[in-house]
Amino acid sequence: MKVWIPHPAGRALLGELPPGVTVEVAEHPSRLPSEVAGVRFWVPPFLSGVDATALLGRLPDLRVVQLLSAGADAWAGRVPPGVTLCDARGVHDVGTAEWVVAAILSQVRGFPAFALAQSRREWAYDRLCPTDELAGKRVLIVGAGSIGAAVRARLAPFEVTFTLVARTPRPAEGVHGVDELPALLPEADVVVVLVPLTDATRGLVDEKFLAAMPDGALLVNAARGPVARTDALVAELTTGRLRAALDVTDPEPLPADHPLWELPNVLLTPHVAGSVRGLLPRAYRLVAEQVRRFAAGEPLVNAVSDGY
Ligand code: OXD
């Protein structure tokens, strides 16, 4: 069985594979390592900015597409019949949850303003103190999957309270449905958006969503840029009423002349929340397990359903 992976380092990280499995490195869809025939298991490049989906129709023997991203929005609904699409659920929990905690603490304790003052050699005590604090804040997590659980576990020691929202309410676990957001948003000091990008979540964070957040609240987007309406974000954040920490934007990359760059109440990072040094070892542990399962005829984990 031929397996294509995108990282040369991935070979060693895969460890021992079942007999008959050949691994080749296909770093870029325009530089293929061998004939397309015989590739049964493909791990495409991770969020490379290159649309690798065009290769889907050119791999006649393909049976599995294993993504290295948690989000499958660029692939769902595009794989040919007979091909199973799997996401990397779990692989990004540590990195993304750490980013969320760091982003919240940075914004609440005013680190971006202190960093700017530092770049000007300004001792900004009188101007920037006191800052806000995280203890006592009400945190609303929109997207109660594995990353949401990791965020919750890491934030819990900070003496915050949590409300969780998911596409499907889970009353037994205290998880509310998305339709309850209008009632929940006014009670949240920090709103963390972690939902996958689907037809149902595109534009979820719109004028009404933002207007329902109380004055001074913090919006954190570690999901996908198009989950928020950029025009609504710019309009609301320009008033200074809310704060934001955005790892994702629409468009991405954000053009140099975009108004979001200018806003002092916005912390921006270039879609890096999950990109930490431990990512590849975690990712290739999942790939190795999936290859083993596939070779043994066992069901794969993390299969992305048609209704993604
Ligand atoms: C992901 C991401 O989807 O890092 O994994 O954005």
Side-chain angles (χ1 to χ4, degrees), residues 131-164:
T131 69
D132 203 349
E133 65 192 14
L134 183 51
K137 294 281 185 290
R138 301 160 299 175
V139 178
L140 174 62
I141 299 179
V142 185
S146 70
I147 297 177
V151 167
R152 183 182 181 163
R154 282 158 182 78
L155 279 180
F158 287 95
E159 300 173 25
V160 295
T161 55
F162 295 99
T163 305
L164 302 181

Side-chain angles (χ1 to χ4, degrees), residues 101-118 120 122 124-125 127-134 137 216 218 243-245 264-267:
V101 174
I104 292 174
L105 282 169
S106 286
Q107 281 295 56
V108 167
R109 296 304 308 268
F111 276 19
F114 285 116
L116 271 180
Q118 180 182 350
R120 292 194 295 260
E122 177 196 355
Y125 184 91
R127 191 167 64 80
L128 297 178
C129 284
T131 69
D132 203 349
E133 65 192 14
L134 183 51
K137 294 281 185 290
L218 170 64
R243 291 171 288 176
N265 46 343
V266 177
L267 171 67

Side-chain angles (χ1 to χ4, degrees), residues 46-47 68-73 92 96 147 222-224 247-248 271 273-275:
F46 169 58
L47 297 176
L68 296 182
S69 55
D73 46 282
H92 296 262
T96 307
I147 297 177
R224 285 287 184 267
D247 185 48
V248 289
H271 202 150
S275 300

Side-chain angles (χ1 to χ4, degrees), residues 64-106:
V64 182
V65 174
Q66 172 63 58
L67 302 179
L68 296 182
S69 55
D73 46 282
W75 296 81
R78 298 177 78 171
V79 295
V83 176
T84 305
L85 175 68
C86 299
D87 65 27
R89 179 185 161 92
V91 165
H92 296 262
D93 295 2
V94 170
T96 307
E98 285 187 359
W99 181 91
V100 169
V101 174
I104 292 174
L105 282 169
S106 286

